[in-house]
């Protein structure tokens, strides 16, 4: 298990493997900031934020709670949940747009902090859709036999990327991390990732972007968003990947047990679910407590719903997200 394999024997076994979730974990900064607390600092109100987004509070990282620290805690908790140790993991993917440093990859810092010394570790950048892209990527490694167990982390500190002078964006985001462990298991068991669907369309860059970077300004920059346009695109377009993921698996919204979407805005989530015909009581909502944590939002929500007993083995779960780029995607998972 020390290196990634390209053994043709492994590839021949590929059609019989599925990527099964065997553990989840999460980590949130201790500090909670309510809407009322924000209203003391800027021209906003609890009423506006709740009405427009469903957000009531968010967690904000302390100086020593970097993306890799939050990611490492979430990853350790997912490993513990799975009953596994560092020696069992041969792939680490961290979905993040707020790495501790431009390089090395945050995934390698998480890998080192956990004592994982084999396999590969890399970051994946698809902004809010990062976790869905990371699950899809890991699934390719696991189902081709190139890796056996993947630790997939979504970790973000967007409080460091937003412009705290811009009330139209800064009230929306929070910090946190979530993680899952995916294991290659025999497909005959029926569990695991059943289908995935990814899309990107770079023509929408101006709608949601960061106005800096190492290759342009040499600074980190700040998040900029045309909220109304993103909202329209999210509701109007993103459902195509959900429809595709259902179609690939030969299933429909009726078969679904839990819809675990990216947590950006309650109105976007409910409008998308309505459009697809997913019953409101099948939606896992955490945006009220966490705000928009970008790539961390889905694994955080998965961990909440699994630990409170909603998501159980055998349940059919759809994850879905859209973010900057635009990039968007969905994955259907038999838990
Ligand atoms: O995770 C990546 C994906 N991102 C998203 O999914 C975000 C998508 N967009 C949204 O969630 C919504 O568009 C927002 C929550 C960002 C905004 O909601 P909206 O209903 O589209 O509001 P709006 O942008 O049309 O603004 C309405 C009004 C404006 O005032 P006027 O021009 O009508 O006088 C804003 O200036 O609300 C004002 N406003 C605020 N008022 C109080 C904007 N931000 C605030 C604020 N507090 N924080």
């Amino acid at each position: 298990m020390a290196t990634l394999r390209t053994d043709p024997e492994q590839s021949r076994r590929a059609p019989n493997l599925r990527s099964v979730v065997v553990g989840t974990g999460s980590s949130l900064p201790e500090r909670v900031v309510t809407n009322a607390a924000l209203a003391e600092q800027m021209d906003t109100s609890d009423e506006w934020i709740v009405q427009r987004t469903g957000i009531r509070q968010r967690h904000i990282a302390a100086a020593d709670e970097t993306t890799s620290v939050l990611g490492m805690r979430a990853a350790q908790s997912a490993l513990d949940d799975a009953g596994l140790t560092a020696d069992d993991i041969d792939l680490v993917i961290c979905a993040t747009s707020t790495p501790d440093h431009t390089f090395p990859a945050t995934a390698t810092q998480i890998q080192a902090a956990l004592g994982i010394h084999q396999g590969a570790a890399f970051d994946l950048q698809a902004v809010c859709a990062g976790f869905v892209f990371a699950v899809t990527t890991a699934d390719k490694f696991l189902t081709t036999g190139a890796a056996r167990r993947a630790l997939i982390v979504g970790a973000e500190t967007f409080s460091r990327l937003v412009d705290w002078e811009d009330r139209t964006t800064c009230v929306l985001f929070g910090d946190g991390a979530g993680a899952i462990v995916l294991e290659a298991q025999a497909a005959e068991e029926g569990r695991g990732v059943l289908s995935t669907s990814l899309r990107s369309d770079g023509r929408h860059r101006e709608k949601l972007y960061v106005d800096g970077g190492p290759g342009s300004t040499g600074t980190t920059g700040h998040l900029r968003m045309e909220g109304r346009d993103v909202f329209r695109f999210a509701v109007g377009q993103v459902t195509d990947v959900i429809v595709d993921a259902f179609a690939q698996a030969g299933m429909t919204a009726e078969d679904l047990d839990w819809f675990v979407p990216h947590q950006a805005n309650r109105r976007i989530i409910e409008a998308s679910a309505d459009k697809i015909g997913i019953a409101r009581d099948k939606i896992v909502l955490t945006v009220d407590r966490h705000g928009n944590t970008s790539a961390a939002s889905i694994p955080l929500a998965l961990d909440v719903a699994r630990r409170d007993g909603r998501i159980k083995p055998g349940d059919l779960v759809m994850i879905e997200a859209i973010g900057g780029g635009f990039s968007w995607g969905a994955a259907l998972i038999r838990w």
Side-chain angles (χ1 to χ4, degrees):
M1 203 166 37
T3 53
L4 293 175
R5 292 174 293 265
T6 49
D7 178 354
E9 276 305 307
Q10 296 279 347
S11 303
R12 270 200 283 277
R13 293 214 311 266
N16 301 319
L17 292 171
R18 282 250 178 85
S19 311
V20 177
V21 182
V22 294
T24 68
S26 60
S27 170
L28 289 161
E30 215 168 286
R31 184 169 162 234
V32 172
V33 176
T34 63
N35 293 344
L38 289 182
E40 283 171 19
Q41 295 168 33
M42 64 189 78
D43 182 17
T44 190
S45 66
D46 178 52
E47 191 194 5
W48 189 93
I49 300 172
V50 171
Q51 212 173 60
R52 303 284 175 144
T53 70
I55 299 167
R56 294 181 183 278
Q57 63 170 47
R58 71 284 296 138
H59 292 251
I60 301 290
D64 60 351
E65 288 174 316
T66 61
T67 295
S68 71
V69 167
L70 295 171
M72 184 271 288
R73 288 180 191 156
Q76 184 63 60
S77 125
L79 269 186
D80 293 345
D81 184 49
L84 297 170
T85 67
D87 293 342
D88 299 313
I89 299 297
D90 56 359
L91 178 66
V92 181
I93 305 178
C94 181
T96 188
S97 302
T98 47
D100 290 10
H101 304 285
T102 302
F103 75 81
T106 300
T108 60
Q109 293 171 261
I110 294 170
Q111 184 200 35
L114 293 178
I116 300 170
H117 303 308
Q118 62 285 330
F122 58 88
D123 285 359
L124 193 152
Q125 213 274 63
V127 208
C128 297
F131 185 76
V132 180
F133 276 62
V135 166
T136 303
T137 303
D139 183 50
K140 308 300 179 200
F141 278 78
L142 295 171
T143 56
T144 55
R148 279 199 60 203
R149 285 194 204 87
L151 189 51
I152 304 163
V153 186
E156 302 278 20
T157 46
F158 261 55
S159 66
R160 295 183 178 132
L161 200 59
V162 295
D163 176 356
W164 284 100
E165 302 292 316
D166 176 12
R167 69 171 182 167
T168 68
T169 53
C170 72
V171 303
L172 306 174
F173 293 91
D175 302 330
I180 65 172
V181 180
L182 278 181
E183 180 177 273
Q185 292 186 7
E188 293 75 44
E189 301 298 319
R191 297 177 63 200
V193 175
L194 305 182
S195 60
T196 59
S197 183
L198 302 183
R199 289 289 318 279
S200 302
D201 188 343
R203 288 173 296 180
H204 301 281
R205 174 191 179 274
E206 300 301 323
K207 305 293 183 200
L208 178 52
Y209 68 104
V210 169
D211 62 4
S216 52
T217 58
T219 62
T220 302
H222 288 117
L223 181 148
R224 305 293 172 206
M225 177 165 71
E226 299 290 340
R228 232 174 299 187
D229 291 340
V230 179
F231 191 107
R232 260 197 296 272
F233 189 86
V235 176
Q237 181 77 38
V238 77
T239 44
D240 63 353
V241 288
I242 303 177
V243 170
D244 184 39
F246 273 132
Q248 284 181 52
M251 291 180 184
T252 70
E254 300 266 294
D255 302 309
L256 198 65
D257 292 295
W258 298 109
F259 180 49
V260 189
H262 170 48
Q263 309 282 322
N265 184 316
R266 185 184 181 126
R267 287 154 60 215
I268 294 177
I269 292 170
E270 292 183 341
S272 303
D274 290 350
K275 199 173 154 194
I276 297 291
I278 297 171
R280 291 268 177 105
D281 61 2
K282 290 179 177 178
I283 302 173
V284 175
L285 263 185
T286 50
V287 70
D288 55 335
R289 287 177 268 173
H290 300 161
N292 182 347
T293 57
S294 185
S297 87
I298 291 174
L300 272 165
L302 287 173
D303 194 46
V304 166
R306 201 196 58 74
R307 285 178 197 264
D308 70 18
R310 274 180 288 176
I311 298 178
K312 295 178 289 300
D315 281 355
L316 191 64
V317 178
M318 174 73 78
I319 62 172
E320 164 269 317
I322 175 177
F326 294 137
S327 285
W328 64 107
L332 192 60
I333 304 166
R334 176 71 68 190
W335 205 261

